[in-house]
Amino acid sequence: DIQMTQSPSSLSASVGDRVTITCRASQGIRSSLAWFQQKPGKAPKSLIFAASSLQSGVPSKFSGSGSGTDFTLTITSLQPEDFATYYCHQYYSYPLSFGGGTKVEMK
Amino acid sequence: EVYLVESGGGLVQPGGSLRLSCAASGFTFNRYAMHWVRQAPGKGLEFVSAISSSDGSTYYASSVKGRFTISRDNSKNTLYLQMGSLRAEDMAVYYCAREDLGTTIDFWGQGTLVTVSS
């Protein structure tokens, strides 16, 4: 099974900051990596697929990069609505797996 | 617009059974693979099961294999998850999700809560 490790598990940031979250796969997954955003009490929202492609309607302040085992999610100019928990997800092989999440909190 | 509406959650005793449903609308259901993903209270997301659109292939997390069964009724645009031999660790919000053609999850339902307790 492929293990997904996210770091950090939480971070504090201010409005306007640039934030980077990393995700590492225990084995190569090519570009089969997605990112999701989840706010408290809500369902996850899909942000990025294929490591760097934005889902329809997702603003360009979100960007993803990486391939193989190392990936990053970057959020530029953090806004109040961006404070949430972010999860990476590999869909290269079953059983599918998620990272443990990164909670982005307001400083 | 894509809608996924889960139902069937509730309180069940350990060892009991429950069937979750996910009613889909706004897209051609039989063309898409579908997933169940769960989230225990205060925890992260966990893959549970998936079913293909074409040949009905099914996939399960090791934690539920042999106890849960995923199925779909394309005539009713509905996804199901039959859960048996439920344990305390199965307690979670269960989300239904659509897999975009050839890629990954693009839409999520709002979830249904399953509570396992005596």
Side-chain angles (χ1 to χ4, degrees):
Chain A
D1 297 3
I2 299 174
Q3 311 302 318
M4 305 300 292
T5 304
Q6 275 182 248
S7 60
S9 57
S10 66
L11 64 90
S12 296
S14 300
V15 171
D17 283 355
R18 173 189 173 104
V19 166
T20 298
I21 299 168
T22 65
C23 179
R24 174 165 289 176
S26 60
Q27 64 189 74
I29 61 170
R30 299 187 182 178
S31 295
S32 299
L33 192 282
W35 290 96
F36 303 108
Q37 175 195 65
Q38 188 179 34
K39 298 180 180 179
K42 300 294 186 182
K45 175 185 175 183
S46 302
L47 296 178
I48 287 172
F49 67 99
S52 60
S53 298
L54 288 180
Q55 289 282 0
S56 176
V58 173
S60 59
K61 63 179 174 180
F62 293 96
S63 64
S65 64
S67 67
T69 60
D70 295 308
F71 303 86
T72 60
L73 172 70
T74 300
I75 311 169
T76 58
S77 187
L78 204 65
Q79 296 302 304
E81 62 269 22
D82 301 328
F83 291 96
T85 300
Y86 293 85
Y87 294 93
C88 63
H89 167 62
Q90 70 80 16
Y91 55 96
Y92 179 75
S93 69
Y94 284 99
L96 308 184
S97 49
F98 293 84
T102 297
K103 187 174 185 179
V104 177
E105 299 175 296
M106 193 174 297
K107 186 181 290 183
Chain B
E1 190 171 353
V2 173
Y3 286 102
L4 299 170
V5 180
E6 302 94 336
S7 61
L11 175 64
V12 60
Q13 292 186 337
S17 300
L18 208 58
R19 188 178 82 157
L20 305 183
S21 300
C22 171
S25 61
F27 64 101
T28 305
F29 180 71
N30 62 15
R31 294 184 62 198
Y32 290 82
M34 298 295 296
H35 296 235
W36 288 101
V37 176
R38 69 184 180 184
Q39 186 169 37
K43 303 297 184 182
L45 301 172
E46 179 188 15
F47 167 76
V48 174
S49 184
I51 185 167
S52 73
S53 61
S54 52
D55 62 1
S57 296
T58 58
Y59 309 89
Y60 297 94
S62 56
S63 58
V64 307
K65 192 174 292 186
R67 300 187 299 121
F68 290 13
T69 301
I70 190 172
S71 62
R72 62 192 298 162
D73 185 337
N74 289 336
S75 69
K76 295 182 178 180
N77 291 345
T78 303
L79 175 72
Y80 302 101
L81 185 68
Q82 180 68 48
M83 304 186 296
S85 302
L86 282 161
R87 308 165 180 167
E89 54 265 36
D90 296 318
M91 185 162 63
V93 174
Y94 284 73
Y95 294 103
C96 162
R98 187 185 85 165
E99 178 184 305
D100 194 11
L101 300 175
T103 60
T104 185
I105 292 170
D106 61 349
F107 283 99
W108 299 73
Q110 289 306 299
T112 186
L113 176 63
V114 173
T115 302
V116 183
S117 174
S118 54

